[in-house]
Amino acid sequence: MRFLDNFKPELTVESPGRINIIGEHTDYNMGYVLPTAIEKKITFKFQKNGSDKICHVYSKGYDTGFELSLDTIEISKVEWENYILGVLNEISKRTDKLRGFDCVLESHVPIGSGVSSSAALECGLAFGLNEMFDLGLSKMDIVKLSQAAEHTYAGTKCGIMDQFASVMSKKGHVILLDCESLEYSYIPIHIKPYKIVLLNTNVSHNLASGEYNKRRAQCETGVSALQKIYPEVKSLRNANMDMLNEVKDTIDETVYNRCAYVIQEKTRVLEAVEALKANNLKRVGELLYETHEGLSKMYEVSCPELDFLVAFTKGNDAVLGARMMGGGFGGCTINLVHEDAIEEFVAAASKAYEKAYNLKLTWFEASPSQGTSILKK
């Protein structure tokens, strides 16, 4: 792209991926989640280009870019472009201050691994443009418009967790986020001598986004059934197992299982917070295993590769707990592993996984990190 010849960035922003300790598929059910940003980031470099409407965006990773005009933003056939276009569309609804810009981005967030590279892309772009053009958007505005961009242009009806964690995280802490009220608190995470290790299956089964939207619809079906007896139930956040059992005969078994998982997961998140505060890491690990069982058997968003890696950890004294993480159907497992055993654990898991699936495992440690921020002006 020709603009690269004269590219002199005036602003650099870093936007991280995220992990979620526990609380999977609860965000769009208005429950609780426990995410944090990680040190894997997308770096954005911006310059104003002096034009009124013309913008250029170039991805180093894809070695490709595109040009657009701010007055004709339309959905693209190229998937990654839609995260950019969606954000620009949402900004244009909120302010008329945006002008022509050039942006070069470089991602170190593994795509398809369940650490939400999409939220990092959306939030980093919005954060940088807000700073460069003095758009007057708050951090919460950036979170909400990035979520809306994913709904409208990327077509995934995600909850708010990924964008919230990408923007609002604080180093050395996890966030207890109430997805209904958006109230949140920072929980210090002290897990030494254990570390958070992500094992990436390097599979991404294509049904992920369609199945994600289907799970959301199934939960809404359950809520509709509950409302006939309990009109105050606006989401599964407001329901308990006794209520669900009352309507069990009016919904099919699949919808019942989906709702039961979400209701039980809501309780597990709050229990995990108390366990972290009490430094009861053994209980945190047990809760991770319980969550995986629910995601695999009741919510049915796991896959053989994820189940294999979680099962592989059981009986290993160096691992406190493991579960699949993210939307599902591939991506990573999150594991609490003793720091002295990480290399041996990863080597054994890699060997077993390759033997079972003829696939290479990749891995990385994840440390709770700062949210989207300016690297330099």
Side-chain angles (χ1 to χ4, degrees):
M1 297 190 75
R2 276 183 301 184
F3 85 88
L4 292 169
D5 297 336
N6 302 306
F7 188 63
K8 295 184 175 64
E10 55 197 271
L11 177 69
T12 302
V13 166
E14 289 186 328
S15 191
R18 63 98 192 96
I19 56 172
N20 184 27
I21 303 297
I22 197 164
E24 214 67 84
H25 288 274
T26 51
D27 58 347
Y28 55 86
N29 287 296
M30 299 299 133
Y32 300 97
V33 290
L34 198 63
T36 179
I38 58 174
E39 66 278 22
K40 300 280 185 186
K41 300 181 175 80
I42 302 178
T43 302
F44 299 77
K45 295 186 175 181
F46 297 92
Q47 72 175 12
K48 295 176 183 173
N49 62 23
S51 77
D52 206 38
K53 301 286 184 188
I54 301 301
C55 308
H56 305 98
V57 180
Y58 176 78
S59 162
K60 282 190 172 181
Y62 290 129
D63 190 22
T64 187
F66 64 104
E67 180 179 294
L68 66 109
S69 177
L70 291 172
D71 54 5
T72 54
I73 299 170
E74 295 175 345
I75 292 177
S76 168
K77 290 189 173 75
V78 182
E79 186 181 1
W80 75 270
E81 293 180 5
N82 284 320
Y83 297 103
I84 304 286
L85 295 165
V87 167
L88 297 177
N89 180 57
E90 291 300 324
I91 288 175
S92 71
K93 293 176 185 177
R94 291 162 173 80
T95 175
D96 59 3
K97 288 184 177 180
L98 194 58
R99 296 292 180 266
F101 67 89
D102 302 326
C103 174
V104 174
L105 58 98
E106 184 172 12
S107 179
H108 301 284
V109 181
I111 293 169
S113 58
V115 294
S116 204
S117 54
S118 56
L121 186 54
E122 294 150 358
C123 296
L125 181 74
F127 198 95
L129 294 176
N130 183 52
E131 180 69 25
M132 192 162 67
F133 291 100
D134 197 17
L135 302 181
L137 300 169
S138 68
K139 282 188 173 184
M140 191 58 79
D141 291 332
I142 289 168
V143 168
K144 289 181 176 178
L145 77 83
S146 296
Q147 180 197 22
E150 189 140 346
H151 286 197
T152 53
Y153 271 60
T156 301
K157 301 289 185 190
C158 62
I160 204 163
M161 173 181 72
D162 295 351
Q163 292 80 8
F164 195 97
S166 191
V167 173
M168 306 295 282
S169 287
K170 183 175 169 183
K171 189 173 183 179
H173 294 72
V174 289
I175 307 171
L176 174 61
L177 171 63
D178 179 335
C179 295
E180 184 174 61
S181 68
L182 297 186
E183 291 177 0
Y184 63 98
S185 56
Y186 292 108
I187 312 294
I189 180 164
H190 302 298
I191 60 170
K192 201 169 173 60
Y194 291 85
K195 290 194 172 178
I196 298 166
V197 174
L198 270 60
L199 299 182
N200 191 348
T201 61
N202 289 309
V203 299
S204 183
H205 297 289
N206 286 332
L207 36 83
S209 64
E211 289 292 323
Y212 183 99
N213 292 339
K214 191 186 289 183
R215 294 300 180 284
R216 188 167 185 149
Q218 288 164 335
C219 291
E220 287 165 359
T221 298
V223 170
S224 296
L226 285 160
Q227 284 175 335
K228 288 173 182 165
I229 302 176
Y230 299 100
E232 70 275 15
V233 172
K234 301 288 185 270
S235 69
L236 291 174
R237 155 61 176 273
N238 312 122
N240 59 42
M241 285 304 296
D242 288 342
M243 291 176 175
L244 185 63
N245 286 329
E246 272 191 72
V247 301
K248 187 173 184 178
D249 294 340
T250 69
I251 54 179
D252 67 39
E253 185 181 3
T254 300
V255 169
Y256 175 84
N257 284 339
R258 304 294 190 253
C259 295
Y261 161 75
V262 171
I263 291 167
Q264 290 162 7
E265 182 74 346
K266 176 180 67 176
T267 305
R268 280 191 287 267
V269 176
L270 298 177
E271 195 176 336
V273 168
E274 292 310 308
L276 278 174
K277 287 178 177 176
N279 206 30
N280 185 353
L281 298 182
K282 181 173 178 288
R283 183 60 188 142
V284 174
E286 290 167 354
L287 290 164
L288 295 189
Y289 282 130
E290 288 174 24
T291 290
H292 184 79
E293 186 71 9
L295 287 165
S296 180
K297 302 290 193 299
M298 297 169 76
Y299 218 66
E300 295 183 283
V301 290
S302 189
C303 62
E305 296 89 346
L306 288 166
D307 288 342
F308 176 87
L309 288 177
V310 171
F312 180 80
T313 67
K314 292 184 176 176
N316 184 334
D317 291 341
V319 183
L320 291 181
R323 70 174 187 85
M324 61 149 281
M325 190 189 73
F329 309 106
C332 290
T333 61
I334 181 170
N335 306 264
L336 286 180
V337 186
H338 196 286
E339 60 189 7
D340 294 341
I342 289 174
E343 284 186 29
E344 185 184 336
F345 165 70
V346 169
S350 299
K351 185 177 177 182
Y353 184 68
E354 187 167 4
K355 185 179 178 185
Y357 292 100
N358 199 28
L359 284 168
K360 295 278 189 194
L361 199 65
T362 50
W363 71 282
F364 56 95
E365 286 180 28
S367 301
S369 299
Q370 192 64 30
T372 305
S373 52
I374 297 163
L375 190 61
K376 61 180 182 225
K377 285 177 97 165

